[in-house]
Amino acid sequence: MTSAPAASSAASRLSLSAADRRRLDEVEALARQGAAGVAPLVSRLDDPSWAVRRGVVAALAQLGDVAVGPLCEVLVRGRDNEARIAAAVDALSASSGDAEGAVAGLVEHPDAAVVYDAAQVLGRRRSAEAAPLLARLTAHPDDNVAVAAIEALGRVGGGAAVDALIASATSGNFFRTFPAIDVLGRTGDARAVAPLVSLLESPVYALEAARALGRTGDERAVPPLVGLLSRAGEAHARVAATSLLEVHEAQVVRLGVSHAVAEALAAAGPALGRRLTRCLPGADVAERVALGRLLGWVGGGEAVAALIDLLDAEPPVAYAAARALGERTGASAGSAAAVDEGVEEQVRLALRSGESARRLVLLPLVGRKAAAVGDILACLEDRDPAVRALACETLARIGDVGAVEPLFARLADADARVAQAAQGAIQSLGSPRTEALALAAAGSPDTRVRRAALRIIAYFGYAKGLEPLLAAVDSEDERLRDAALFGLPFLEDPRALQALLQAARHAAPRTRASAMRALGQVSGEEQVTEVLRAGLKDADAWVRYYACQSLGRRGDAGAVDEVVALMDDEAGQVRVAAVEALAHLRTPAALAALRRAASAPDADLQRAALLGLGAQRQVDSLPALLSALDAPDAATRLVAVSALAAFGGNAPGGGGGPPEVLPALGRAAHDPDESVRTAALGFLAAREEPAATALLVGLLAHPAARAAALSALAQPVPGRIAGLQAGLESADEEVAPLVVAALARMGRADATAALVDTLKGGHAHSRRAAASALAQLGPAAHAALASAAEEDPDPEVRRLCTEALGR
């Protein structure tokens, strides 16, 4: 128990009056008395100051069991002051004691107001044990009590008291139906779908029922929502569209892919596209996002025209429209819509006549069709350099080598981004003409074009390019020399090596540095090693930096002592390069230096050392890496996670590596920094050990990590399926559906077999989740579902299987 309530913090006190501060001091003193302070604290629940009341609430909550009885007594006998009652409810809701039993005893009280407060407390405490009691209260004669019980069940979550919620939702009582609809949609229970569908026929409840059906994420909600979309007014249609997208996204999370909504909309025909288009005016952003996605699945000329117009809307809407069009053209992976050849023509037409902003959105939507090349080439002349750069990238993606010559013209573009994109596209495409064009460009009077041409020659290793490279090494232009020196290691000619060795003694420091960097790409040759070691003593820091890097890349163990000496270099980048080089020089002296650097006050040096220790994978280095997981800065913790991940199945000792590594990665998965958590989850996802799967399954219980953990578990690494089956043996009602979702998302025969095994022999909640997942797999699961529909001991499993079979 802490000695002071949260409300009495120094920061909070600054804005309080002197009288309030005095009374808060008294509250703190009473809290320190323990049980003896309860009565006087309870008497202050109606203090006129909100800040003081918060302090009293915090103190009574911290006191736990000794305060529960007196607080319940306030709810029964102290009802003459609303502030006092509200404070008592807050204290009981936050109590560290076992308040459920005492509060549950109040639900039989004849005063409905007391029962109402009891229901509030039980809901705010998320007491699953109280669910049956709350279910009974949903039928209480007093509407306020019934609503409080319904809302409390919503806080409890899961499938608690679904039957009671269904009764409330279908009761016809206006005050009870609305909250029950909302809570039903959030239960995730399949039984909620049918009563919610029945409410779609009510003009009073249809909108809320449609929203709730979306929240169920259940595929059985799709046909009735499509029906509402087709026949209802525009306001209802917008809500139906939003709910259909919500169902689709929930199905994708559960199964990895879902075509139910797309297929239902496509079956409805182009007329539905016209209706959706008419719903766009007046729709808010979320509704237009949903309408855009649905228009893509419906297809047809009007739908596509509407989507193209939406490309000019707010970013979320434009993104949704672009994604929908990409699915129709096949430019988006995992498309839920059938590829439509006619859509691509409309996209190309819009690209041809569009302004720069629209072209930026349209270019990624162009499929891999040679017919589009002409329209993309026109974009190379757009006034916006971002469009020109994207056009270069699009030409590379399409793969038409006929675009190479126009791309060479872009090497002279005034914008460096465009010239770089053109160079990258040329290197990606290649072509019989590329060599001749590159050699011609290497003689260009424009130094920008010449530099790009030298890089292209180096990339392809054209033997005829040696002369232009050697000529550039002798150029007065330092940047040309850099480009040429970069390319020389890729040409197998003695003259290339001699030019590099000569450049390592050039008067210009930048040229010497470029030569040192390039020599790291050359194999063998004792004279190369001598030149690089000499570079460690160069007066220019960048020359020393690249000499270190190259010696490390070449694995020159004889240079260890000289490299270690540079860990005290005056230039920070040289110190870091020395540590990075030592990671490649696997000698005892190098390892000892890395361990010293891992505790260096220089953060950059420390991080480089941690990565080096990870690369060395020596078990004796683990304490330094584990200690770095507690570093105050996230960047160091992130590096420590990456280094620890290197201790995998190939680590010394074999198996899964040192036993300390997996728990450390599991701890990092809870790091306060998102980048550290993401990295830890990514490394856990790639691990094959059963313990890694168990850690990821454990993370499913934490909402902040749930989505990432589910994606990680769905990666079918060896041993993952067996690990998930083991996880299902102990998974609770909340986690079991998520583990099943990971199996379903794999889309593999062995994962489906694991789901069938679960349906045959898992726990009840695992069998229910498996039945729901197998229902989406069609004929492949028919036999298993049919057997469970007849023989499973759980009536809910039998019901789910029967519905899946369409009986």
Side-chain angles (χ1 to χ4, degrees), residues 441-462:
S444 171
D446 187 328
T447 55
R448 295 172 302 169
V449 174
R450 194 175 171 192
R451 284 200 308 273
L454 294 175
R455 294 190 190 101
I456 293 168
I457 289 170
Y459 180 85
F460 289 107
Y462 294 135

Side-chain angles (χ1 to χ4, degrees), residues 13 136 153 260 291 349 353 373 561 588 603 743:
R13 287 172 172 267
R136 182 159 56 83
L153 287 170
L291 289 165
L349 178 62
S353 59
V373 171
D561 291 340
L743 286 166

Side-chain angles (χ1 to χ4, degrees), residues 763-792:
H763 293 298
H765 40 261
S766 297
R767 298 201 309 278
R768 292 173 186 173
S772 297
L774 289 168
Q776 314 298 323
L777 300 180
H782 189 278
L785 290 168
S787 176
E790 298 292 339
E791 301 172 5
D792 196 279

Side-chain angles (χ1 to χ4, degrees), residues 10 39 46 103 136 146 273 302 372 379 384 386 507 542 546 562 572 593 595 628 690 696 737 768 775 778 783 785:
D46 56 359
V103 174
R136 182 159 56 83
E302 291 183 66
C379 294
D384 186 343
W542 286 107
Y546 284 116
E562 295 168 89
R595 289 176 179 166
L696 290 168
R768 292 173 186 173
L785 290 168

Side-chain angles (χ1 to χ4, degrees), residues 563-764:
V563 173
V564 168
L566 288 180
M567 289 175 63
D568 296 319
D569 195 276
E570 62 183 12
Q573 74 269 33
V574 177
R575 296 195 297 271
V576 171
V579 171
E580 291 173 345
L582 290 170
H584 298 284
L585 307 179
R586 297 176 180 274
T587 70
L591 182 60
L594 285 174
R595 289 176 179 166
R596 288 196 303 274
S599 58
D602 183 331
D604 290 333
L605 200 66
Q606 180 190 24
R607 292 169 196 148
L610 292 171
L611 285 175
L613 291 174
Q616 297 264 3
R617 291 190 293 181
Q618 296 291 323
V619 175
D620 292 345
S621 302
L622 275 175
L625 299 177
L626 295 170
S627 176
L629 283 180
D630 296 318
D633 61 297
T636 300
R637 300 198 302 275
L638 180 60
V639 168
V641 168
S642 299
L644 282 166
F647 288 80
N650 296 323
E660 304 97 318
V661 172
L662 276 179
L665 291 175
R667 180 159 61 93
H670 294 281
D671 193 275
D673 183 80
E674 183 179 2
S675 62
V676 178
R677 294 196 304 272
T678 300
L681 282 165
F683 291 126
L684 284 171
R687 308 282 291 217
E688 300 179 9
E689 305 96 314
T693 299
L695 280 170
L696 290 168
V697 169
L699 289 169
L700 293 174
H702 301 275
R706 184 171 295 156
L710 180 56
S711 295
L713 285 167
Q715 296 184 27
V717 299
R720 178 57 47 77
I721 291 174
L724 289 170
Q725 287 181 285
L728 276 172
E729 293 176 5
S730 57
D732 60 19
E733 186 177 5
E734 180 183 24
V735 171
L738 298 170
V739 178
V740 164
L743 286 166
R745 287 173 65 169
M746 290 183 188
R748 292 165 47 117
D750 48 357
T752 300
L755 289 173
V756 170
D757 289 344
T758 300
L759 182 60
K760 291 178 179 178
H763 293 298

